[in-house]
Each structure stands twice: as C-alpha cells, then as structure tokens.
Amino acid sequence: MIELKNVSKVYKNNHIALSNVNFKVQKGEFVFLVGPSGAGKSTILKLLMKEIEPTSGDIVVNNVNITNLKRKEIPYYRRSIGVVFQDFRLLPDKTVYENVEFAMQIVEASHKDIKKRVPQVLDMVGLYSKQKNYPHQLSGGEQQRVAIARAIVNNPKLLICDEPTGNLDPDTAQEIMSLINDINKSGTTVLMVTHAKDLVDRMKKRVIAIEKGVIVRDQQRGVYGYED
Amino acid sequence: MIELKNVSKVYKNNHIALSNVNFKVQKGEFVFLVGPSGAGKSTILKLLMKEIEPTSGDIVVNNVNITNLKRKEIPYYRRSIGVVFQDFRLLPDKTVYENVEFAMQIVEASHKDIKKRVPQVLDMVGLYSKQKNYPHQLSGGEQQRVAIARAIVNNPKLLICDEPTGNLDPDTAQEIMSLINDINKSGTTVLMVTHAKDLVDRMKKRVIAIEKGVIVRDQQRGVYGYED
Amino acid sequence: MRINTIKYYIKESLKSVYRNRIMSLASITTVAATLFILGVFMALAINVNRFAANVEDMIEITAFLKDDVTTLKQQELERQIREIQGVVSVEYESKEKALEKFKEQLGENKDLAKGLEESNPLPASFIIKVDSPDSVEYVSPRIAQLEGVLKVKDAKKTVQTIGKLVKIVRYSSTVLMIILGTISIFLISNTIKLTVFARKREISIMKYIGATDWFIRWPFILEGLLLGLIGGFIAALIVENAYTYAANAIKHNIMIFTLVPPQEAVKQFWWQFSLLGTLIGGFGSYISIRRFLSV
Amino acid sequence: MRINTIKYYIKESLKSVYRNRIMSLASITTVAATLFILGVFMALAINVNRFAANVEDMIEITAFLKDDVTTLKQQELERQIREIQGVVSVEYESKEKALEKFKEQLGENKDLAKGLEESNPLPASFIIKVDSPDSVEYVSPRIAQLEGVLKVKDAKKTVQTIGKLVKIVRYSSTVLMIILGTISIFLISNTIKLTVFARKREISIMKYIGATDWFIRWPFILEGLLLGLIGGFIAALIVENAYTYAANAIKHNIMIFTLVPPQEAVKQFWWQFSLLGTLIGGFGSYISIRRFLSV
Ligand SMILES: Nc1ncnc2c1ncn2[C@@H]1O[C@H](COP(=O)(O)OP(=O)(O)OP(=O)(O)O)[C@@H](O)[C@H]1O
Ligand SMILES: Nc1ncnc2c1ncn2[C@@H]1O[C@H](COP(=O)(O)OP(=O)(O)OP(=O)(O)O)[C@@H](O)[C@H]1O
Ligand SMILES: [Mg+2]
Ligand SMILES: [Mg+2]
C-alpha cells in the first residue's frame, strides 16, 4: 500500500527532517509512527499527502509513484486518503455538519448519500448534537473529533492520523481508538502518529519509531517504548 | 489567589457550559483541572483571562473582582497571568524568538533584560536552536513549547495552562511538567488543564474534576481518576 | 458536473457573501465607487465630444459671387460646388440678405449702414458646409477656381485651430477614459485580491482535503460575479440619477448651454456597468484565487 | 513611552510592510491610483476655472460718446466712470480707432468701408471692464446717465449667460472635487480595512497576551502613514509629469488654447498628495483596527 524508498527531506532552512527513510506498509495494516517531538513524523505524513515534496527518494502509494503525479491528478489522489491533521484544519466558516459534508461534496456524492452518511459519522465521534456549531464554538477535543469524522466519512482506503487523540481525555481517546480499529478491520490501512503510550502499548500493533529523521525501530506487535 | 463564586456560563447558542461552579485556589498552589472532552475546562480558563464573560457569578483573582475590570485595566490584568492556550495562538509573522520577545516588549522590558531572558527560556523548553523558525516551520510539539516559553517568560504570578502537553511525547511532556513544577515551587500559582493521566497520577497534586459543567470532585493529592 | 454540484456552487457563493459581510461590502462599494467615477468621466467625455462636434459644425466656407452672375449661372455654380468631395451643404445668400446680415452684425450701430441701401456694395454668396475641418483645405481652392466666384473666405487659421483643438479634446478624453477604465479594473481587482487573500487558509485546506481547482474556484467566481453585478448596477443607478438631475438643473438655469440629454448619454449605463462589474468581479476572482490553488 | 518601545514600533511597522508585501502593495497602489484620479480631476478643474475666469475677463461695457464731447469733457467723463463701484478699467477709443476696428471686422470685405473715411460716422467710445459679470447690471445704467454719453452697449443677455455658465462650471467642478475626494478616501480606507481584517487573528492574539490598544495600534498606524505617504507621492509624481507632458504637447500643437502652466497648476501636488495620503493612511489604519481591539 505504502512504500518509502530512501526518502530524505531537507527544509529550506537546511534543517534535515528526514534522512534515508525506508519502510513498507501492507494493505490493511495498522501502523503506529512514534518518536519524540520534532522527530519528523508529521513530515512523513505531509510527504504522503503531497503537502510537501521529498528532497530525494521515491514514495509509492497504491502502486503509484506519487512523486510523479501530475498537478491535475493530485486532488483525486488526496481523496483516496483520509487525513486527520495535527492542527485539525477545519473550515472556519462552515459548521460541524458542513465541514464533514464538504468532504463528500468534493467527491460529488449524491444528496441522499450525504444526508445519510454525515449524521452517522458525527454520531460515531459523539458530535451529533454539535452539528450546528462552528469550529470556534467547539472545545479542543470536539474540533479534533470533527477532523476525525471528516477523514473517515468517505471510507478511504488509507487513513492517516496525526496525533488524533492529543486533545482528548483517555476515555474518549480510547473510544476513538476502537473506532479507528474497527475501520482498520473493515480493510482500511491505518498509519497513525501518536504520543499516547498507553494506547500503543495496549493495542499491540506494528510500531515504527523515528528519531531525528532516522528510523530506529520497526516492530510487529510493538510497544511505545520510550520514557524511563 | 483565584476564587470562582457561583459561576455559570451559557453560550449564545444556549449551550450551558458551566453551571454554578465554585472553587478557590490558594497562592502557590498547583491545581489540575480534569474532565472529559467538552466538560467546560477551557471555558473556565477563558473566563479567568477575560476572553469571555460569565453569564452569572463572580470571579476574583488576586483580590480583584475581575468581572468589574475597566476596559483599560484588562491588558495589565492579563499581563499578570501567563497562559498556554490550547490552540497555541502564536503570532504567525514572528519567529520563535520574536514571539517570546513580544510578551516582554508589551510590558516594556528593557532591551538588556529581553536579550538575557528570551534565550534562557527558549533553552528551558529545548528550542534554542529553533529560534529563527516561524511557527509554520515548527512541529506541533515545538509550537506548543513556544507557547509555554511565552507564558513563563515574564515570571507571572499565575500560570494557566490548557493542555500543555497534548502534542508532546511522554519524555518531553515529563520534562515540561518538571519545568512547570519548578516554576510552581518558586511561588507561581499553577492551574493546569490536562488529559495526561500518567502525569497527574504521578505528581500527586490537587485535582479538580469537572463534568458537563459541574464540579464533581476536588481532591488534594489526587489522581486523574477516569478510565476503566 | 452534477446538478447537485451546481446547486452547491450557488448556495456556497451566496452563503459566502453573507458570512464575509465586511469583505462583500468592501467589494461592492469599491466596484460601485470606481465605476461611479468612470461613469462621471464618461458623461463628461460624451458632452465634451458633443460640444466639439457642434463647434465643427460651425465651420463654413463663404464664396462671394461676382455681381454679374445670373440666376442660371448661379444654379450651375451651386451644382458644381455640391459635386466637390467633402461638401455637405450649400446655401445661397442674396445681396439683400447680405446687407441685412451686415446690419444685424452692426447691432445697435446699424444706422451706419443707412447710406449703403441705395447702391448695395455687398456681394451675394454661397455658404458651404463641409464634412470635417480637414476638408476645408481641399474644398476651398476648388471653389475659388470656378467662374463667377469673386473670392473665397474660409478662415483657414481658425479652422485649423478648431480642428486641432477638437482632435486634442477627443484624443485626450479617449486616453483619459482608457486610463480610468484600467485604474477601475485595477482597483476592483486589488480589493478582490485582498478578500481572497484573507481566505487563503480556507482555500489551502480545501485543496488538502482533495478538492479540485474548479470546485474551489466556482463559488469564488460566482461570488465575484454577483458582487460585481451589484456594485456596477449601483454605480449606474447613481450616475444616471445624478446626470438627469444635473441636466435638468442646467436646462432651467441657462438656455444656451445644455447637457446631452440623459436618454442619449447615460441610459445605457445600467446594463453596460452591470456587465462590466460582473466581468471584472468574476475575472478578478479567477485571477486572484490562482496563486493560492498551487498547494 | 520608552525609547525602546518607540524603536519597536518603527521596526515593527517596517517589518510588517515587508512581511505583508501583497497587502502593502495593494494599499500603496490603491492610494496612488485613487489620488491619481483625484489629481487628474483637480488639474482639469484648475484649467476649467482658469478658462472661466478668462471668459469673464472678456466681458466689457462700451459707452459711445456724442460727437461734441471735447477732450476736457472726455477726461472728466473717464474720471466719473472710474469712480463707479465695480469698474476695473476704462479705455478710450477715438473715432479714427473705431473706424479702423470696423474695417478689421469686415476683414476681407474692408473695401466696403471706403466711402466712410471722409465723413466718419462711427462714434468715439469708452471700453469699460468690470470686476464680475454681476456688476454689469449696476454699472451700465450709471454710465448711461452721464452727460456726453450717447449710448451704452453691454450685451446684457450674453453677460448673464456667461455669468451663469461660469457659476455652474465652478460650482459643479467644486462638487465633483468633493465627491471625488470623498470617494478616494473611502476607497483607500476600504483597502486598509481589508488588510487589517486579514490580520484580525494576529491582533486578537496580541490582546490576549496583554498588549494595550495603543501598543498594537502604533505599528499599524505608522504602517498606514508610510504606505499612504508612498502612494500619495507616487500619484503626485505621475500627475505632475503627465500634466507637464500634456501642457507642452498642447503648447506646440495649438497656439490659441494652452493649459495653465505646470508651475501654477500641479507644482504643489507632491506635498499636498503626500500629506493627504499620509493622513488617510494613518487615520484609516486607526479606524480600521478599532473594531478588532475589543477582545
Ligand atoms: N517548513 C519547515 N521549515 C523548516 N523546518 C521545519 C519545517 N517544518 C518542520 N520543520 C522541522 O522539521 C522537524 C520535524 O518536524 P515534524 O513536524 O515532522 O515533527 P514531528 O515528528 O511531527 O513532531 P511533533 O510530535 O512535535 O509534531 C522539526 O524539528 C521542525 O522544526
Ligand atoms: N463559543 C461557543 N459557543 C457555543 N458553545 C461553545 C462555545 N465554546 C465552547 N462551547 C461548548 O461548551 C462546551 C465546553 O467547552 P470547553 O472548551 O470548555 O471544553 P473543554 O472542557 O475545554 O473540552 P476539551 O478537553 O475538549 O478541550 C463544549 O461542549 C463546547 O461545544
Ligand atoms: Mg507533528
Ligand atoms: Mg479545552
């Protein structure tokens, strides 16, 4: 599903965020990406969704080398991925409902499908009653859950989550985690960046650890493995 | 130091975020404010810094009833508090250094003091080497730490933190927590909203728990106490 | 494109106008204000050109006739003059008419001409109008050659000066018009650029979620069209009313000089300006949004 | 206010101009473009007013004298006329001069006046200039009463019409000027409002950290001043050069009609417009930022 081949990323100010990163994720896998603050985790996710371009190396998603994608093809590629951004990226002028709806509108889903699916997803993340609120009328954790709802609404083949539980209390975090686990079980590949040691340790999934832009550990049924 | 008397907050869309909240925090205390997503934690903090006004009730900080503050007095009141916002609120057009510097400029600190203090604080949060980056050139955890640096740079008498470790890995979170603990020990009152169960449990500080806008527990040397 | 999507575009653009009220208002008023200035200038230019045309009409060549020209000969001459290229009209003025006119010219001193009536020394003449000041130079010598013509008067210097003046007025009002039009477009698109700029984060988020360029563009373009249309229409409305008011006021105050009647001058403005506003608005949005789509 | 803080304000405003390049450019060009239009209109108005003044100057009263007026009597008359309120100048025209002028008027037909030379029927006259078209009505009858005056010619109708026309031109160019000035200010402040709007989040963050209103305002105001100054200066520069160019071009092409020389018309623009731009820029920023400070 995903393959990074010798990927390096040097930012404009010459900061080396990734150097020679190699890994493969199979279809249907659930992978945690862990590492200290500033290690390069978000950089990998940004590369995967073409927010930024690698300085060198190739990235293959779904058998397509995305470094060669034409400008026109990028939107369609992005639609095949559900992304929960670390900074949420909700549309400030749209309500909760509209934010989720928007993700379906861009793929030109039918009115009927939208009307059925959006409330369903909002219910899954526990925000059915907040659907008329604007993002600035939500708590941090609620905003984060809207971002999650938007990422999963189109049943993407690949779900990328950047710290999806950073603003959630442990109980809600646990719920969201099982939700994502369910989605994974129904066939969606999941790549998740997280600092939630407890959850990682408990889920016993594959863990890729990265430090200062280098992969230091890649472990099946792994643990978070830092601290103490 | 802080006293909330019968404070209620009803948002414009008639959502009752807080109802009849009462608590007191003594000078020099370290208090955790915990509760599920959407419980009203950030609402309390926003009330304390006059981002929003209570629907009813009184808030007294440092023997001043802040509900009666004149418009002119608000900036000076706010300067006496260091705040780490849940959404960071960094100035996008200023570098890391300038963001922290700005908090000192508004209190008209001398050039000499600024030049000494800012690098010192940046070093404390581990961002000395990132001082020339703009916020969009930082990782999520790094942005959070800039927000922390800015909050503590003026040695405030009261430090309010909204989820200051949500985007930090456990190790870095631990470091930041001990930093804040040190600041507390030197006399600063600390009020912290957090979901970091581990840290709360370990620190054995006072814990106020809130659910659906109502205080449900207020415990000296408490624990996070949710989950399972 | 699904019907659904088109509905979405329309709904979205309307919502956006409302939600970004401050920016919408700024856009509309900018379009209205700049097109208003353009309209005032255009109304002025129309009047100046009309005035210039009137001045041109006043240019005439006078051909004095010898006293021995018979009525037959005179008719023959008139025919010949008419055939010259550039001649628009020829009018005969008898010796008697000439004396009368001369007396009129003397005005209150007309007693002075008393002695002239018995043996009228003034010659009969043809008064000839030509199609443009430039034609005078061609027509004049040709008339002078004709038999029976005593002398030709064409006020060459005056004609040349008027011709040049009219040209300058026409030329400079056209240049000003073009400059003003360009500035209007520029000012409006500046405003649109700023309103789009304020929403660049929104645009980039849409792109990251997988929206195509056109999916993002359409609501913006429709919004631009709508705001431009409203602004243009308002401008036309104000210009038209102000002009009609001014034309009436002037008509009542001084008889001699009048503005070109509103029906001719500004009656077309409402659709011209609405169209112009719409085009600038839509195109301005299209251009302004471009840079933010490349994420 | 510490020196330190003032330095900060200045540094901050300069940085901000650079960091918000797109918005800065939009502001400068908007100021420049609107003031340019204003400048063109002002230059036009100056010329129209000058032209109107020239037309006014052409108004004169002619007082024809009886043939029996002696030189002494004539001098006495001139003194009396000069004393009338509103009279600016009095010029004597002898019978001989009158005949000469008459011949000139006849132009190429001057042979017609041949017979008149022996017994010149034309009267001597005074040509009187007054300070305004309105004075004619007062001066004329007073001259007519004087002994030795045969008749007074004052072209009452023409005078009235010209007077009205001049008034209308003056009045409407003033009104247009005021409207245009208002629109300029409005357009510029619209643009400033949008640039401030794009930074409202920044402003609110500063407030939340504890910055006072004036601490936030100063850099914005300085920025507005600076951008306004630059824009105004550019506008003045363009108007001045364009005007000088046009004045020269017209001077070479038609002698009779010239523009008011640039030294008189536009030489003051550079500081007037710089000042105007600066004021609008600074004040516009002050106004625009106000609403966002209330957090
Ligand atoms: N646009 C940029 N320009 C320069 N440096 C950047 C830029 N974006 C990120 N960086 C740097 O690259 C490094 C990796 O950033 P990244 O966002 O991938 O970290 P992360 O692993 O997601 O950290 P966190 O857990 O704190 O979110 C960081 O040190 C950051 O400062
Ligand atoms: N401006 C607003 N208008 C309407 N409702 C609001 C507004 N701000 C917050 N709320 C609602 O008030 C409730 C409390 O919000 P608050 O931000 O205090 O939650 P919180 O305890 O900080 O949650 P979290 O841990 O997720 O940040 C939430 O349900 C939220 O939806
Ligand atoms: Mg990150
Ligand atoms: Mg919160």
Side-chain angles (χ1 to χ4, degrees):
Chain A
M1 187 82 185
I2 305 174
E3 185 174 4
L4 271 74
K5 299 183 198 164
N6 271 316
V7 172
S8 295
K9 174 67 190 176
V10 182
Y11 282 111
K12 270 201 204 108
N13 60 356
N14 291 323
H15 179 83
I16 301 167
L18 293 178
S19 48
N20 271 309
V21 170
N22 285 285
F23 68 83
K24 237 186 204 168
V25 176
Q26 299 301 326
K27 197 164 160 10
E29 258 191 299
F30 192 128
V31 179
F32 285 117
L33 195 56
V34 302
S37 176
K41 307 179 294 298
S42 297
T43 301
I44 290 178
L45 302 193
K46 284 176 186 165
L47 285 171
L48 277 173
M49 51 152 326
K50 286 188 81 64
E51 186 177 332
I52 52 176
E53 293 302 315
T55 311
S56 67
D58 283 305
I59 301 169
V60 180
V61 179
N62 246 332
N63 301 321
V64 179
N65 188 333
I66 63 163
T67 31
N68 299 333
L69 275 185
K70 288 201 203 90
R71 211 182 114 61
K72 285 236 158 201
E73 296 167 337
I74 296 176
Y76 302 96
Y77 166 69
R78 282 182 181 152
R79 289 178 197 177
S80 69
I81 311 174
V83 190
V84 181
F85 299 92
Q86 193 168 11
D87 51 357
F88 314 157
R89 301 198 187 168
L90 303 178
L91 294 166
D93 286 343
K94 289 188 189 296
T95 63
V96 167
Y97 185 93
E98 290 167 342
N99 260 285
V100 179
E101 185 188 28
F102 184 77
M104 292 191 76
Q105 280 165 333
I106 57 174
V107 299
E108 307 205 14
S110 76
H111 199 58
K112 219 178 93 197
D113 288 353
I114 292 178
K115 260 181 127 168
K116 206 180 112 207
R117 178 71 176 157
V118 176
Q120 190 184 332
V121 176
L122 286 178
D123 195 41
M124 280 184 197
V125 297
L127 287 178
Y128 188 82
S129 64
K130 297 275 174 194
Q131 54 180 286
K132 291 214 172 91
N133 286 33
Y134 287 94
H136 75 268
Q137 298 177 320
L138 295 177
S139 81
E142 286 163 351
Q143 288 179 30
Q144 192 154 43
R145 283 179 281 158
V146 178
I148 294 167
R150 186 179 62 186
I152 63 176
V153 73
N154 281 331
N155 293 313
K157 278 177 283 183
L158 172 61
L159 182 61
I160 290 179
C161 307
D162 200 345
E163 204 79 66
T165 61
N167 284 274
L168 297 177
D169 58 289
D171 282 355
T172 314
Q174 177 61 54
E175 279 167 33
I176 292 294
M177 216 46 134
S178 4
L179 174 64
I180 294 176
N181 202 14
D182 288 349
I183 291 171
N184 170 248
K185 276 187 187 132
S186 71
T188 299
T189 312
V190 176
L191 181 60
M192 185 186 293
V193 168
T194 190
H195 294 311
K197 186 178 183 307
D198 282 12
L199 294 174
V200 175
D201 289 353
R202 203 179 311 164
M203 303 258 300
K204 301 214 166 52
K205 301 284 184 182
R206 179 175 166 199
V207 175
I208 298 177
I210 185 168
E211 270 176 48
K212 292 186 181 148
V214 180
I215 292 187
V216 292
R217 182 160 55 97
D218 188 343
Q219 199 174 15
Q220 294 295 336
R221 300 181 57 79
V223 290
Y224 188 86
Y226 286 95
E227 208 183 11
D228 315 333
Chain B
M1 187 82 186
I2 305 175
E3 185 174 3
L4 271 74
K5 298 183 198 163
N6 271 315
V7 172
S8 295
K9 174 67 190 177
V10 182
Y11 282 110
K12 268 200 206 111
N13 61 355
N14 291 323
H15 179 84
I16 302 166
L18 293 178
S19 48
N20 271 309
V21 169
N22 284 285
F23 69 84
K24 237 185 204 169
V25 176
Q26 300 301 326
K27 198 164 158 11
E29 256 191 303
F30 192 128
V31 179
F32 283 117
L33 194 57
V34 302
S37 174
K41 307 179 295 296
S42 297
T43 301
I44 291 179
L45 303 193
K46 284 177 187 165
L47 285 171
L48 277 173
M49 51 152 326
K50 285 187 82 63
E51 185 177 330
I52 52 177
E53 294 301 316
T55 311
S56 67
D58 285 305
I59 302 169
V60 180
V61 179
N62 244 334
N63 302 321
V64 179
N65 188 333
I66 63 164
T67 31
N68 299 333
L69 274 186
K70 289 200 203 88
R71 210 181 116 61
K72 285 235 157 202
E73 296 167 337
I74 296 176
Y76 302 95
Y77 166 68
R78 281 183 181 152
R79 288 178 197 176
S80 69
I81 312 172
V83 190
V84 182
F85 299 92
Q86 193 169 9
D87 52 357
F88 313 157
R89 301 198 187 168
L90 302 178
L91 295 165
D93 287 342
K94 291 188 188 296
T95 63
V96 167
Y97 185 94
E98 290 166 342
N99 260 285
V100 179
E101 185 188 27
F102 184 78
M104 292 192 77
Q105 279 166 332
I106 57 175
V107 299
E108 306 203 16
S110 76
H111 198 60
K112 219 178 93 199
D113 288 353
I114 292 178
K115 258 180 127 169
K116 206 180 114 208
R117 177 73 176 155
V118 176
Q120 189 183 333
V121 175
L122 285 178
D123 194 40
M124 282 184 196
V125 297
L127 287 178
Y128 189 82
S129 64
K130 296 275 174 193
Q131 55 179 285
K132 290 217 171 90
N133 285 34
Y134 287 93
H136 75 267
Q137 297 177 321
L138 295 177
S139 80
E142 286 162 352
Q143 289 179 30
Q144 193 154 42
R145 284 180 281 158
V146 178
I148 294 167
R150 185 179 62 186
I152 63 176
V153 73
N154 281 332
N155 292 315
K157 278 177 283 181
L158 172 60
L159 182 61
I160 291 180
C161 306
D162 201 344
E163 204 79 69
T165 61
N167 285 274
L168 297 177
D169 58 289
D171 282 354
T172 313
Q174 177 61 54
E175 279 166 34
I176 292 293
M177 215 49 131
S178 3
L179 173 63
I180 294 176
N181 201 15
D182 289 347
I183 291 170
N184 170 246
K185 277 188 186 129
S186 71
T188 299
T189 312
V190 177
L191 180 61
M192 185 186 294
V193 167
T194 189
H195 294 311
K197 186 178 183 306
D198 282 13
L199 295 174
V200 175
D201 289 352
R202 203 177 314 164
M203 304 257 299
K204 301 214 166 51
K205 302 283 184 182
R206 179 175 165 198
V207 175
I208 298 176
I210 184 166
E211 269 176 48
K212 291 185 180 147
V214 180
I215 292 188
V216 292
R217 181 161 55 99
D218 188 344
Q219 198 174 14
Q220 295 294 335
R221 300 182 55 79
V223 291
Y224 187 86
Y226 286 94
E227 209 184 9
D228 314 332
Chain C
M1 215 190 290
R2 281 171 173 247
I3 287 290
N4 222 0
T5 307
I6 296 174
K7 264 199 216 148
Y8 160 81
Y9 291 155
I10 295 173
K11 232 175 69 190
E12 200 58 18
S13 59
L14 292 177
K15 267 193 212 161
S16 175
V17 168
Y18 177 73
R19 278 179 189 160
N20 301 290
R21 264 157 298 191
I22 296 177
M23 298 195 293
S24 301
L25 202 68
S27 300
I28 291 178
T29 49
T30 300
V31 173
T34 40
L35 291 189
F36 170 76
I37 295 178
L38 189 66
V40 169
F41 243 103
M42 275 172 71
L44 278 182
I46 288 171
N47 277 284
V48 166
N49 276 324
R50 175 67 58 102
F51 185 74
N54 287 345
V55 169
E56 274 189 358
D57 277 354
M58 283 157 53
I59 294 170
E60 45 188 36
I61 302 171
T62 312
F64 295 103
L65 303 185
K66 288 178 183 153
D67 274 356
D68 59 5
V69 169
T70 62
T71 314
L72 208 77
K73 179 80 203 182
Q74 171 213 323
Q75 282 164 356
E76 165 68 12
L77 260 174
E78 183 166 343
R79 202 186 47 73
Q80 283 175 319
I81 294 173
R82 274 193 205 285
E83 269 169 11
I84 299 172
Q85 209 190 335
V87 169
V88 172
S89 74
V90 180
E91 205 186 309
Y92 179 70
E93 196 177 282
S94 65
K95 288 174 74 74
E96 292 72 40
K97 187 83 207 286
L99 184 60
E100 229 167 83
K101 259 194 163 175
F102 179 59
K103 281 193 204 156
E104 253 170 54
Q105 253 187 51
L106 293 177
E108 298 167 29
N109 308 14
K110 66 174 163 231
D111 329 341
L112 306 173
K114 246 183 254 167
L116 302 175
E117 263 152 28
E118 282 120 62
S119 66
N120 183 349
L122 296 174
S125 61
F126 283 122
I127 291 158
I128 297 128
K129 291 212 164 127
V130 291
D131 56 1
S132 93
D134 292 342
S135 297
V136 172
E137 223 165 332
Y138 175 85
V139 174
S140 242
R142 265 160 199 73
I143 297 177
Q145 282 168 9
L146 297 174
E147 256 221 51
V149 171
L150 177 71
K151 200 180 333 179
V152 172
K153 199 174 99 181
D154 63 5
K156 201 173 270 173
K157 280 254 167 71
T158 316
V159 166
Q160 279 177 351
T161 310
I162 291 177
K164 270 185 190 160
L165 194 62
V166 166
K167 255 187 215 152
I168 284 182
V169 165
R170 288 224 170 110
Y171 172 77
S172 52
S173 73
T174 308
V175 168
L176 268 180
M177 216 73 252
I178 292 170
I179 292 176
L180 260 180
T182 315
I183 292 181
S184 300
I185 293 173
F186 173 77
L187 283 176
I188 295 169
S189 65
N190 234 358
T191 306
I192 294 174
K193 204 185 292 166
L194 286 176
T195 63
V196 173
F197 187 82
R199 286 153 76 187
K200 68 174 175 196
R201 196 179 132 77
E202 213 178 317
I203 295 171
S204 75
I205 292 175
M206 290 179 179
K207 280 290 285 190
Y208 288 138
I209 301 170
T212 56
D213 290 353
W214 278 108
F215 193 87
I216 299 172
R217 246 184 223 135
W218 270 120
F220 272 96
I221 293 179
L222 290 182
E223 199 184 326
L225 291 175
L226 182 65
L227 299 180
L229 173 67
I230 298 175
F233 188 75
I234 292 176
L237 216 69
I238 297 178
V239 171
E240 195 184 310
N241 282 302
Y243 187 88
T244 309
Y245 175 82
N248 283 334
I250 286 176
K251 204 192 279 172
H252 291 135
N253 278 308
I254 41 165
M255 260 53 71
I256 211 173
F257 174 80
T258 52
L259 290 180
V260 176
Q263 298 82 275
E264 284 175 60
V266 294
K267 271 292 172 217
Q268 308 279 312
F269 278 16
W270 75 267
W271 70 262
Q272 287 170 343
F273 278 21
S274 301
L275 187 69
L276 186 62
T278 309
L279 287 179
I280 303 176
F283 194 66
S285 293
Y286 174 80
I287 295 287
S288 303
I289 202 179
R290 214 167 33 176
R291 83 160 72 217
F292 301 118
L293 286 174
S294 61
V295 287
Chain D
M1 213 189 290
R2 282 172 174 244
I3 286 290
N4 222 0
T5 307
I6 296 175
K7 263 198 217 151
Y8 160 80
Y9 291 154
I10 295 173
K11 230 175 69 188
E12 201 58 19
S13 61
L14 291 177
K15 266 194 213 162
S16 174
V17 168
Y18 177 72
R19 278 180 191 161
N20 301 290
R21 264 157 298 188
I22 296 176
M23 299 195 294
S24 301
L25 203 68
S27 300
I28 291 178
T29 49
T30 300
V31 174
T34 40
L35 291 188
F36 170 76
I37 295 178
L38 189 66
V40 169
F41 242 104
M42 277 173 71
L44 278 182
I46 289 171
N47 277 283
V48 166
N49 276 325
R50 176 66 58 101
F51 185 73
N54 287 344
V55 169
E56 274 188 358
D57 277 353
M58 281 156 54
I59 294 170
E60 46 189 38
I61 301 172
T62 312
F64 294 102
L65 303 185
K66 289 181 182 151
D67 274 358
D68 58 4
V69 169
T70 61
T71 315
L72 209 75
K73 179 82 203 179
Q74 171 214 320
Q75 281 165 358
E76 164 69 10
L77 260 174
E78 184 168 339
R79 202 186 46 73
Q80 285 175 316
I81 294 173
R82 272 192 206 286
E83 269 169 10
I84 300 171
Q85 209 188 338
V87 170
V88 172
S89 72
V90 181
E91 205 185 308
Y92 178 69
E93 196 175 282
S94 65
K95 288 174 73 73
E96 294 73 38
K97 187 82 207 285
L99 184 61
E100 228 166 85
K101 260 194 166 177
F102 179 60
K103 280 193 205 160
E104 253 170 53
Q105 255 185 51
L106 292 177
E108 297 168 28
N109 308 12
K110 67 172 167 234
D111 328 341
L112 307 173
K114 244 184 255 169
L116 302 174
E117 263 153 26
E118 281 120 61
S119 65
N120 184 351
L122 296 174
S125 60
F126 282 122
I127 292 159
I128 298 128
K129 293 215 162 124
V130 290
D131 56 1
S132 92
D134 292 341
S135 298
V136 172
E137 225 166 332
Y138 175 84
V139 174
S140 241
R142 266 162 199 72
I143 296 176
Q145 283 169 7
L146 298 175
E147 258 220 48
V149 171
L150 176 72
K151 197 178 343 176
V152 172
K153 199 176 99 182
D154 64 2
K156 202 172 269 174
K157 280 252 168 73
T158 317
V159 166
Q160 280 175 352
T161 311
I162 289 178
K164 269 184 190 161
L165 193 63
V166 166
K167 256 187 214 152
I168 285 182
V169 165
R170 287 223 171 110
Y171 172 77
S172 52
S173 74
T174 308
V175 168
L176 267 181
M177 216 72 251
I178 292 170
I179 292 177
L180 260 181
T182 315
I183 291 180
S184 299
I185 292 173
F186 174 77
L187 282 176
I188 295 169
S189 65
N190 237 357
T191 306
I192 294 174
K193 204 185 292 164
L194 286 176
T195 63
V196 173
F197 188 82
R199 286 153 75 187
K200 68 174 177 197
R201 196 180 134 77
E202 213 178 316
I203 296 170
S204 74
I205 292 175
M206 290 178 177
K207 280 289 285 189
Y208 288 138
I209 302 171
T212 57
D213 290 353
W214 277 108
F215 192 87
I216 298 173
R217 246 185 224 134
W218 270 120
F220 271 96
I221 293 179
L222 290 182
E223 200 183 324
L225 292 175
L226 183 65
L227 298 180
L229 173 67
I230 297 175
F233 189 75
I234 291 176
L237 216 69
I238 298 178
V239 171
E240 195 184 309
N241 281 303
Y243 188 87
T244 309
Y245 175 82
N248 283 334
I250 286 177
K251 205 191 278 170
H252 291 137
N253 279 308
I254 41 166
M255 260 51 74
I256 212 172
F257 175 81
T258 51
L259 290 180
V260 177
Q263 298 84 272
E264 286 174 58
V266 295
K267 271 292 171 218
Q268 308 278 313
F269 278 15
W270 74 267
W271 71 264
Q272 288 170 343
F273 279 20
S274 300
L275 188 68
L276 186 63
T278 309
L279 288 179
I280 303 175
F283 194 66
S285 293
Y286 175 80
I287 296 286
S288 304
I289 202 179
R290 214 166 32 176
R291 83 161 70 218
F292 300 118
L293 286 174
S294 61
V295 288

